[in-house]
């Protein structure tokens, strides 16, 4: 028998097949679901209005129904477009297990390794190159070829877990930021930054150029803020002049500098469960330039030869605060 509850059922069935859609499309689907139930039984009185209050009430009722299933109909603004996106999120257990229905354990481990390099990227760039992503295959405790990794990376992009830019760099998608947010916040608390305006996580946007200022804004939040205020919301620096606006620093791929992800991978963060047992564990990575330089100096000293030429200093973005150091595991060639 048809009832008004069938509107929710039809809407959720549509969301299960899409997972992530814009709020505008979600409103349209809701309207179509109401029309379908009314067509099945025109005696039913099913209220529908596209205003925000009616939509919020509809979402609240859906989440009340989903709560026993540990599911949630959540929303977040897309960092690229600023559009409000809606996602059906699984809140149960280990958040990274959201992918378990689509991927094997090895593929999930590979995804976590790529996400780690994105989160630990320098200069708040939150991005990793294709070559650096493929290097993560060497960190897995299972066999996966680079050809297989390329296929899996393409799948991550196709299913909305990662975003690939025209330059071939990978970053986190809106779906990942929303659905895996508890995992990201608990695993990388020192790397998480929030928008000063909307307080949501930010991996691409702009930052104030004043030294030690903590203002970080999504691009759409920055554009909306500039329409009514010309000063930095934290340090009160005047942004009204075009020259000052051009000095704003980038967050995301625009903050990446050539050569920052070449050589050996960033050392993974050690969990508390690992303790000190893995201090001397071998790591299947090539030695970094600094390690090679130190080795050359050591060998020259032992043999009485000339000292190795010291390595050149790396480029550092002086406009940004120094990122927190992460603990590195000892390794040997």
């Amino acid at each position: 028998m048809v009832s008004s509850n069938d509107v929710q059922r039809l809407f959720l069935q549509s969301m299960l097949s899409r997972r992530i859609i814009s709020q505008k499309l979600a409103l349209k689907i809701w309207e179509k679901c109401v029309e379908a139930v009314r067509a099945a039984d025109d005696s039913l009185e099913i209220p529908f209005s596209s205003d925000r209050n009616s939509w919020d009430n509809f979402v609240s009722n859906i989440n009340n129904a989903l709560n026993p299933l540990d599911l949630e109909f959540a929303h977040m603004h897309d960092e690229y477009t600023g559009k409000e996106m809606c996602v059906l999120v699984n809140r149960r257990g280990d958040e990274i297990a959201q992918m378990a229905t689509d991927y094997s354990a090895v593929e999930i481990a590979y995804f976590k390794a790529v996400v780690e390099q994105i989160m630990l990227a320098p200069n708040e760039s939150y991005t990793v190159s294709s070559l650096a992503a493929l290097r993560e295959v060497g960190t897995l405790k299972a066999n996966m070829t680079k050809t297989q990794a390329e296929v899996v990376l393409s799948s991550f992009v196709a299913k909305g877990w990662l975003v690939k830019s025209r330059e071939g760099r990978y970053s986190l998608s809106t779906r990942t930021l929303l659905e895996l947010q508890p995992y990201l916040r608990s695993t990388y608390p020192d790397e998480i930054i929030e928008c000063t305006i909307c307080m949501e996580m930010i991996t691409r946007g702009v930052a104030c150029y004043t030294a030690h200022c903590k203002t970080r804004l999504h691009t759409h939040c920055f554009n909306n803020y500039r329409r009514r205020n010309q000063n930095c919301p934290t340090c009160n620096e005047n942004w009204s002049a075009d020259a000052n606006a051009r000095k704003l620093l980038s967050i995301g791929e625009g903050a990446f500098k050539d050569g920052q992800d070449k050589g050996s991978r960033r050392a993974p963060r050690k969990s508390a469960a690992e303790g000190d047992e893995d201090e001397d564990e071998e790591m299947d990575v090539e030695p970094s330039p600094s390690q090679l330089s130190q080795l050359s100096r050591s060998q020259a000293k032992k043999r009485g030869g000339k000292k190795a030429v010291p390595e050149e200093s790396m480029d550092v973005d002086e406009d940004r605060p120094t990122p927190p150091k992460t603990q590195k595991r000892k390794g040997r060639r």
Side-chain angles (χ1 to χ4, degrees):
M1 183 177 180
V2 179
S3 69
S4 58
N5 291 332
D6 288 327
V7 173
Q8 289 185 7
R9 179 176 59 82
L10 292 175
F11 183 84
L12 289 175
Q13 286 177 344
S14 179
M15 281 302 305
L16 285 171
S17 64
R18 292 176 172 85
R19 297 293 292 191
I20 179 168
I21 58 176
S22 66
Q23 193 257 358
K24 183 178 180 180
L25 178 57
L27 278 171
K28 194 66 178 178
I29 292 175
W30 177 30
E31 181 181 4
K32 293 296 182 182
C33 291
V34 171
E35 292 176 357
V37 174
R38 285 175 177 171
D41 188 346
D42 55 9
S43 65
L44 293 174
E45 294 185 4
I46 305 175
F48 172 79
S49 175
S50 59
D51 65 84
R52 188 72 196 196
N53 288 335
S54 298
W55 168 249
D56 288 341
N57 289 333
F58 177 69
V59 171
S60 179
N61 291 333
I62 284 181
N63 282 330
N64 288 335
L66 292 175
N67 189 51
L69 303 176
D70 293 312
L71 296 174
E72 179 184 357
F73 185 70
H75 64 90
M76 172 183 277
H77 286 87
D78 184 270
E79 292 185 302
Y80 282 108
T81 64
K83 293 180 180 179
E84 185 175 357
M85 306 300 292
C86 300
V87 184
L88 189 59
V89 178
N90 184 353
R91 295 299 191 194
R92 184 176 181 179
D94 180 10
E95 288 77 11
I96 204 67
Q98 317 299 335
M99 306 171 64
T101 56
D102 296 325
Y103 297 101
S104 66
V106 175
E107 291 168 338
I108 293 175
Y110 179 53
F111 177 79
K112 292 174 70 174
V114 173
V115 168
E116 177 151 289
Q117 294 309 298
I118 292 174
M119 293 302 298
L120 297 180
N123 265 8
E124 298 178 349
S125 58
Y126 296 107
T127 180
V128 65
S129 69
S130 298
L131 291 177
L134 291 175
R135 277 204 302 268
E136 293 304 304
V137 173
T139 69
L140 303 179
K141 296 181 179 180
N143 292 329
M144 176 184 283
T145 66
K146 288 190 175 181
T147 300
Q148 292 172 330
E150 288 177 342
V151 174
V152 175
L153 280 172
S154 297
S155 176
F156 292 155
V157 174
K159 294 187 177 182
W161 293 107
L162 296 177
V163 176
K164 186 176 182 181
S165 70
R166 294 178 180 177
E167 288 71 27
R169 303 190 63 83
Y170 293 95
S171 57
L172 303 183
S173 67
T174 300
R175 177 182 182 180
T176 296
L177 290 174
L178 218 169
E179 193 156 351
L180 304 185
Q181 186 166 155
Y183 169 79
L184 295 173
R185 287 185 178 276
S186 62
T187 309
Y188 309 103
D190 296 333
E191 282 72 34
I192 295 294
I193 56 176
E194 295 179 336
C195 177
T196 306
I197 301 300
C198 68
M199 301 307 294
E200 291 181 353
M201 283 178 56
I202 175 174
T203 62
R204 54 184 68 88
V206 297
C208 182
Y209 52 81
T210 304
H212 308 299
C213 180
K214 298 184 181 300
T215 291
R216 303 291 187 272
L217 302 172
H218 293 113
T219 302
H220 59 274
C221 290
F222 169 73
N223 292 334
N224 292 334
Y225 177 80
R226 279 287 302 278
R227 293 190 184 101
R228 61 181 185 275
N229 200 313
Q230 299 297 317
N231 295 336
C232 172
T234 303
C235 69
N236 209 36
E237 175 72 16
N238 191 330
W239 291 346
S240 59
D242 291 340
N244 289 343
R246 285 195 295 269
K247 289 195 297 184
L248 289 169
L249 306 176
S250 295
I251 298 173
E253 188 168 351
F256 169 77
K257 288 187 174 182
D258 290 339
Q260 286 183 330
D261 57 3
K262 292 181 180 179
S264 60
R265 70 189 293 274
R266 298 275 316 258
R269 175 162 301 166
K270 182 183 293 185
S271 65
E274 290 177 334
D276 297 327
E277 295 179 1
D278 297 333
E279 286 285 334
D280 298 323
E281 180 184 355
E282 288 190 18
M283 296 185 67
D284 187 21
V285 296
E286 296 181 359
S288 66
S290 60
Q291 290 172 325
L292 290 174
S293 178
Q294 292 171 3
L295 179 61
S296 299
R297 289 195 294 268
S298 176
Q299 290 175 341
K301 186 176 181 181
K302 287 181 180 179
R303 300 173 184 175
K306 297 180 179 180
K307 292 185 179 180
V309 179
E311 60 178 325
E312 296 179 356
S313 60
M314 296 180 65
D315 292 337
V316 178
D317 190 341
E318 297 178 353
D319 294 329
R320 289 180 178 272
T322 303
K325 295 182 178 179
T326 55
Q327 184 177 359
K328 293 187 177 180
R329 291 159 58 179
K330 296 179 181 178
R332 55 181 183 270
R333 293 184 67 186

